[in-house]
Every structure is written in C-alpha cells, then in structure tokens.
Amino acid sequence: PVAAFPKRLARVARHDAKVLRTSARWLVTSREHHNYTYELTKLSRHHLAWFVSVVCDLPVKQVRGYLDEIESDDKLRRHIETAIAGAARRGLADKRVRYARRIGWYAIVRATRPTHVVETGVDKGLGSCVLAAALLRNAAEGHPGRVTSLDINPEAGYLARTAPWSEVVDLVIGDSIASIAALDRPVDLFLHDSDHSRAHEKREFEAVETKLAPGAILLTDNVTATNVLAEHAERTGRRFLAYRETPANHWYPGDGIGVAW
Ligand SMILES: C[S@@+](CC[C@H](N)C(=O)[O-])C[C@H]1O[C@@H](n2cnc3c(N)ncnc32)[C@H](O)[C@@H]1O
C-alpha cells in the first residue's frame, strides 16, 4: 500500500484539481444560485436518446430528431434570452440558454403526444417553455395538448407568460398537493419537480394517482436523490427506469429523469 500511495495521490489530485478549476470558473462566470443550467456531455445526450427510445418504444433516430428539434428552436432560445435580460431577477440567471435533461422531457412529450401534462415546480419557467414548445409542435401536427404548471411562488413562471408558449400553459399558484387535488382533467404525463423532499415527492405521486388517464407516464426530477418513484411504480404495477445526466463543464454532478409507466 505504501508503494502505491504516490500513484493514488496523483490520481485523486488530478481529479480534484479538475473539479476545483471547474468550480472556480463557475464562481466567476455564472450567476445562478440554484436550479443550475448546463449542457449535457455528448455521451450523456446519447444515453438520454436511448433512454427515451426504450421508454416510448420509438426508434432512437426519431428521438434524436426531437432532441435536435428543441436545441435548434431559435425562436424559443431568443425569447428566453430576451425575457431573462429584462427580468427583475436577471442578476441571478445566466444569459446562455441551456436545457440539460429538459430536452428529454421535450422528446417524451413529442413521442407520446399527451393531451394534458402536469409539471409541479416551475421556477423561472424554463421547463414549462420546453414542454410548451413540444406541445405546440404536436398541435401543428394535429395533436393539441396543454401543460398545467404548478408552483407555490406567485413570481414563478415569468418565462412562460409570453405567446405562443403561454397559449398552452396554465400556471397555477399554490401548494402542489392542493393544486393536484383540484385538477379537473385527466393527466397523461406528470412531472414532479417541486419540493424535492422525499415526503413531498411521495405525497404528489399519491395525490395524482386518481387523476391519471389510462397509460399515463410519471416522471420525477428527483431520481438521483430518492427511490420514491421506483417504490410507487412497484406498488402500482408499473415499470421503472432512471437516467442520470452528466453536465458538461460544470461542478454540479447533475440530476436525472426517473420514469414510471
Ligand atoms: C427546481 S424548481 C423547478 C424547476 C423547473 N421545473 C424547471 O424546469 O426549471 C422548484 C420549484 O418548486 C417550487 N415549490 C417548492 N415547494 C412547492 C410546493 N409545495 N408546491 C408547489 N411548488 C413548490 C419552488 O417555488 C420552485 O420554483
């Protein structure tokens, strides 16, 4: 063990130095203090395409087309850049638009063409915009749908208050459990991304169960932190899969997408 020590030290020092360099760069170049944004590594994007392909039972080539579609949606990108530049809290947001795992949400909506999507947790509305962009494309192909976006913060969702995206987004302010209980249309796709505590995530999946349309898909943004959706899937006789994203050039280890269907 003593002979191997210098080699082991060099290995771990190289790794930690890289994390420190990335962290230092982020501290001076980014303004974000939570809900970090970043690109996925190339490999992580490849794996995301396969993940969606398996879950939605579609050729991976078609899924890659959906990922390309959202990434080359310049109209949405420009809208987000402009809205962030003019926002009161612009000092806490980065100028560059980076969707990370949300491109997977986009591909799932494009692949499954839901009539009603519910997203809990909106923050600025980046995810709501991505979901709305997918729903607008679906509508143009003859499959209209809407997203109900739930947040407890009245200031949430400023990115999703501009047309055409706002035309398919219903922002609901209040605690997500009460808002889920008040849903009056069946839910085809449900995404948990609000209070990431284990207890709240569990309460959301329990609350939405009676609101689901047959064959509904459940997503969680909390899959790298809890096993809540996997346990819910087992209890309710669904399949479950988890994708763990890898951010490019960021110190944050990343989140993921958990899916039960
Ligand atoms: C991680 S952010 C959502 C990110 C967003 N989905 C996106 O794509 O960028 C979490 C949000 O959940 C909201 N939130 C926290 N607790 C909540 C609750 N009990 N009910 C509804 N929203 C809640 C917060 O106000 C915050 O805006």
Side-chain angles (χ1 to χ4, degrees):
V2 176
F5 186 79
K7 195 170 170 188
R8 294 171 64 233
L9 179 65
R11 259 324 249 284
V12 74
R14 259 203 310 277
H15 172 272
D16 292 352
K18 191 174 165 203
V19 177
L20 280 176
R21 268 198 311 276
T22 312
S23 308
R25 198 180 316 121
W26 175 82
L27 279 171
V28 292
T29 57
S30 174
R31 301 161 165 186
E32 295 178 340
H33 67 304
H34 75 138
N35 200 18
Y36 309 121
T37 63
Y38 35 78
E39 306 289 357
L40 303 178
T41 64
K42 258 174 103 167
L43 185 62
S44 192
R45 190 181 183 282
H46 281 308
H47 291 171
L48 179 56
W50 277 106
F51 170 80
V52 175
S53 159
V54 168
V55 170
C56 299
D57 199 16
L58 276 187
V60 70
K61 210 170 164 185
Q62 190 171 337
V63 177
R64 285 193 198 110
Y66 294 145
L67 301 185
D68 293 343
E69 193 175 272
I70 179 64
E71 285 172 335
S72 58
D73 186 338
D74 292 332
K75 191 173 154 195
L76 176 62
R77 208 172 273 278
R78 271 198 308 276
H79 154 62
I80 295 170
E81 280 167 1
T82 312
I84 285 178
R89 291 164 72 83
R90 62 183 171 275
L92 297 173
D94 285 354
K95 288 182 183 158
R96 266 191 65 199
V97 180
R98 293 162 299 207
Y99 301 121
R101 64 201 168 285
R102 295 176 190 82
I103 62 174
W105 305 351
Y106 180 91
I108 291 172
V109 172
R110 289 290 281 130
T112 60
R113 300 164 166 174
T115 304
H116 188 199
V117 179
V118 171
E119 172 198 34
T120 71
V122 177
D123 192 30
K124 301 177 194 66
L126 187 57
S128 310
C129 280
V130 165
L131 295 167
L135 291 166
L136 288 168
R137 292 266 188 174
N138 287 350
E141 293 171 3
H143 302 279
R146 303 187 64 80
V147 54
T148 307
S149 295
L150 316 177
D151 204 290
I152 203 162
N153 178 359
E155 288 173 18
Y158 69 83
L159 294 176
R161 293 176 195 267
T162 302
W165 305 279
S166 60
E167 287 163 3
V168 293
V169 178
D170 300 307
L171 264 176
V172 179
I173 302 303
D175 179 70
S176 62
I177 304 298
S179 302
I180 290 168
L183 290 171
D184 58 3
R185 283 179 300 131
V187 179
D188 302 294
L189 179 66
F190 178 83
L191 164 65
H192 160 80
D193 192 13
S194 61
D195 172 348
H196 281 211
S197 70
R198 195 180 190 288
H200 192 84
E201 184 186 10
K202 188 165 186 286
R203 274 200 298 273
E204 279 192 5
F205 285 118
E206 283 167 1
V208 82
E209 194 59 44
T210 60
K211 306 284 178 176
L212 297 176
I217 297 178
L218 303 173
L219 302 179
T220 182
D221 197 67
N222 216 15
V223 76
T224 55
T226 77
N227 205 30
V228 165
L229 185 55
E231 286 162 5
H232 187 79
E234 192 164 348
R235 263 198 310 278
T236 56
R238 293 182 170 94
R239 290 165 288 178
F240 172 83
L241 265 186
Y243 158 78
R244 181 182 278 264
E245 68 177 1
T246 310
N249 306 315
H250 206 288
W251 61 268
Y252 186 64
D255 292 307
I257 304 177
V259 58
W261 78 111

